[in-house]
Amino acid sequence: MDRIRFYISLIIARAAYIAIKLRNKSSGTSFVGMMTLKICPDFLKHCQKYIKNKIATVTGTNGKSTTSGLMAHLLETANQKVIHNLEGANMLTGVANVFALNIRPYKKYDYAVIESDEAYLTKLYDCMKSDYLVVTNLFRDQLDRYGELNTTAEFIKNAIDKNPDLKLVLNADDPIVATFDRTKYAVYYGFENVEYDCSYEHKSNAPSEVFNCMCGHPLEYSKQFFAQQGHYYCSKCGYKRHKCDYPAEVKVYNDYSIINVKSHGIEFEFKVNLAGLYNAYNALAAIAFAFEIGLNQAEIQKALDTYHAIFGRTEKRTINGNPAVIQLIKNPTGASEVLKTVDLKSNIVIAINDNYADGRDVSWLWDSDFEQLKNAEKLIITSGIRANDMASRLKYAGIPQEKIIIEPNIKKAIDKATKDGKTTILPSYTALLSIKK
């Protein structure tokens, strides 16, 4: 009976998706999945048998979509068939959605690469076991939904405990992520050194978290790259950053990075065509995963050369005949790192919503380093539900009021900005969805 429900849910899912597209109501990244799970609650358990090799999951506060996108592209470039929630819908309904629209009764995939919301990872593992978990970082994010960082960390630890054979790929430079290994098989990636050769200021004034060692003493740093990412140690008990299985050095340029990674003592050089140190971390996570599953340097570099950023993650578009860069911002650390890379000669649109998926609490705007925009040469348009709050934040960041335009309607704001030269668009999550629609 359950098997019949599974096949019925597949048929209804495709019919519903076609209807949604014909009516142009939404992108359909979650509704179909929600309906599928209603019809067949064990839908994802049935989907597991359609993956021949491995299932890899990716979680963390920032970089999930880019890291999982890179991982999927690495596998596809190596001629593997991959199912991946590319659109970034990373709760159970979004994961069910991508399987419902891609699974065929007689078609199997080699790999699945699943991006998962931190709080939903344990629920995902109740439905579907995973072979690998890549964890990017843990930053303060959506306090009204996640609470403090230790709460988010517990969500992930509980999920890990549910998956007995899980292999972990962990960011050694993040002092919380590095504690997730416990009794599991784990490999670590991280940067030994970071160098900049770019036009923007690489330091940020955004506040960083202060973490205590397990003994209770505050951690100190010999190198701190951004936020809490770096080489930490405890002067009291001797605890220190984990030795990396995939240590790397990176040189960050305006629009790309050069990463030198060691794997089993051999050094490999990779060029990553994405801006910012935060994207270099995402790429290093994907490279570490690629080495773990046996891909070689040529396969990895070919994939890096042909990778295109997904919607809203350093994505380049042409709007009204002019170039535009769209980059999601959603929390203090992520926003501050993105703000470093903004072209101050471009038009700038900042679109902030406070819907549930964004987080109702917008206090993060005040912890983000919008002071990086003080030398913007053109007008800055604030938009979205919290356009006025964003304008107020820019005022206190030292940007003259006459340079700030408030236009709550996102479409009108973008139309206005993109009529003259390059535009940088910085939206929160649901504002990004509005732009896509």
Side-chain angles (χ1 to χ4, degrees):
M1 181 63 181
D2 203 32
R3 195 177 191 82
I4 294 171
R5 281 189 176 192
F6 173 72
Y7 290 124
I8 290 172
S9 67
L10 286 178
I11 294 168
I12 294 176
R14 289 193 183 85
Y17 182 74
I18 292 169
I20 288 169
K21 285 298 182 183
L22 287 174
R23 296 183 68 186
N24 198 27
K25 287 294 183 183
S26 76
S27 59
T29 57
S30 291
F31 176 77
V32 172
M34 179 178 67
M35 188 174 61
T36 302
L37 292 174
K38 285 281 186 184
I39 298 167
C40 181
D42 290 332
F43 177 78
L44 288 172
K45 289 182 181 178
H46 286 283
C47 291
Q48 189 130 5
K49 66 185 178 185
Y50 288 90
I51 308 302
K52 292 190 291 185
N53 291 339
K54 304 292 183 183
I55 295 175
T57 42
V58 182
T59 198
T61 306
N62 286 75
K64 295 186 291 292
S65 296
T66 299
T67 301
S68 61
L70 281 165
M71 288 165 55
H73 188 63
L74 282 160
L75 290 164
E76 288 168 342
T77 305
N79 299 314
Q80 301 297 303
K81 292 180 181 177
V82 183
I83 190 165
H84 167 50
N85 52 338
L86 177 66
E87 298 289 339
N90 55 28
M91 298 182 188
L92 278 187
T93 52
V95 176
N97 196 101
V98 74
F99 276 94
L101 296 179
N102 288 279
I103 288 290
R104 301 287 188 276
Y106 302 104
K107 178 182 179 182
K108 291 193 175 183
Y109 289 82
D110 297 304
Y111 287 86
V113 177
I114 305 299
E115 172 192 338
S116 175
D117 177 271
E118 304 94 288
Y120 274 79
L121 185 65
T122 185
K123 295 179 182 178
L124 176 63
Y125 285 174
D126 283 336
C127 303
M128 175 179 281
K129 298 303 177 186
S130 180
D131 299 288
Y132 289 93
L133 172 63
V134 179
V135 187
T136 57
N137 48 60
L138 278 184
F139 301 130
R140 192 179 296 273
D141 184 40
Q142 293 190 32
L143 295 179
D144 56 326
R145 179 167 163 243
Y146 291 113
E148 293 296 331
L149 282 177
N150 58 350
T151 305
T152 309
E154 281 303 312
F155 289 148
I156 298 174
K157 287 176 183 176
N158 291 338
I160 291 170
D161 288 342
K162 288 185 175 184
N163 231 331
D165 300 319
L166 189 65
K167 297 179 180 179
L168 304 174
V169 181
L170 302 176
N171 179 359
D173 294 348
D174 189 303
I176 300 182
V177 172
T179 66
F180 288 161
D181 62 325
R182 299 206 209 180
T183 59
K184 302 288 181 183
Y185 169 86
V187 294
Y188 291 84
Y189 64 90
F191 286 116
E192 303 304 309
N193 193 45
V194 175
E195 186 180 348
Y196 288 86
D197 187 0
C198 51
S199 58
Y200 59 81
E201 175 60 49
H202 63 266
K203 292 182 180 179
S204 172
N205 296 314
S208 59
E209 300 291 331
V210 177
F211 293 97
N212 287 345
C213 177
M214 289 174 284
C215 73
H217 192 72
L219 289 174
E220 301 172 56
Y221 284 81
S222 57
K223 294 180 182 180
Q224 194 164 4
F225 302 133
F226 73 91
Q228 75 265 26
Q229 311 287 299
H231 295 193
Y232 45 86
Y233 64 94
C234 178
S235 59
K236 182 179 179 182
C237 72
Y239 174 75
K240 61 181 180 180
R241 170 183 177 263
H242 205 288
K243 183 180 178 182
C244 289
D245 301 273
Y246 298 100
E249 296 192 355
V250 61
K251 192 167 187 178
V252 181
Y253 296 86
N254 278 349
D255 297 316
Y256 67 95
S257 294
I258 300 294
I259 303 178
N260 289 284
V261 187
K262 281 187 178 179
S263 174
H264 299 94
I266 303 172
E267 187 170 297
F268 302 93
E269 182 178 289
F270 298 102
K271 182 180 180 182
V272 179
N273 296 310
L274 294 169
L277 177 58
Y278 59 97
N279 272 323
Y281 266 106
N282 297 334
L284 181 57
I287 291 167
F289 168 76
F291 277 130
E292 277 296 294
I293 61 171
L295 299 187
N296 60 43
Q297 182 187 23
E299 289 171 322
I300 296 171
Q301 187 59 68
K302 182 180 178 182
L304 293 174
D305 287 342
T306 55
Y307 176 74
H308 296 288
I310 67 168
F311 190 79
R313 276 73 170 185
T314 324
E315 186 198 18
K316 297 178 180 179
R317 296 287 286 264
T318 299
I319 304 175
N320 289 330
N322 288 301
V325 176
I326 307 169
Q327 178 63 292
L328 173 72
I329 57 173
K330 61 172 187 164
N331 55 46
T333 298
S336 297
E337 288 302 301
V338 167
L339 288 163
K340 291 178 188 176
T341 67
V342 171
D343 182 354
L344 298 180
K345 295 180 180 178
S346 68
N347 302 300
I348 299 171
V349 177
I350 308 174
I352 304 297
N353 286 344
D354 63 350
N355 295 312
Y356 174 75
D358 302 292
R360 302 287 189 185
D361 179 5
V362 294
S363 63
W364 64 272
L365 297 175
W366 296 90
D367 290 330
S368 303
D369 193 9
F370 285 99
E371 282 73 12
Q372 298 272 1
L373 302 181
K374 278 193 295 188
N375 296 321
E377 295 183 8
K378 296 184 178 180
L379 297 175
I380 301 177
I381 303 174
T382 65
S383 190
I385 298 168
R386 302 305 285 263
N388 288 306
D389 299 78
M390 190 64 246
S392 179
R393 175 67 185 95
L394 293 179
K395 173 186 172 183
Y396 282 94
I399 296 163
Q401 280 187 275
E402 60 269 21
K403 274 196 167 186
I404 303 168
I405 295 176
I406 299 171
E407 174 48 78
N409 184 290
I410 295 174
K411 186 178 186 303
K412 289 181 180 178
I414 291 175
D415 282 343
K416 189 178 294 185
T418 53
K419 288 178 180 177
D420 176 28
K422 181 181 178 181
T423 299
T424 301
I425 304 170
L426 307 174
S428 66
Y429 181 68
T430 63
L432 176 63
L433 296 182
S434 296
I435 293 167
K436 183 177 182 181
K437 187 177 179 181

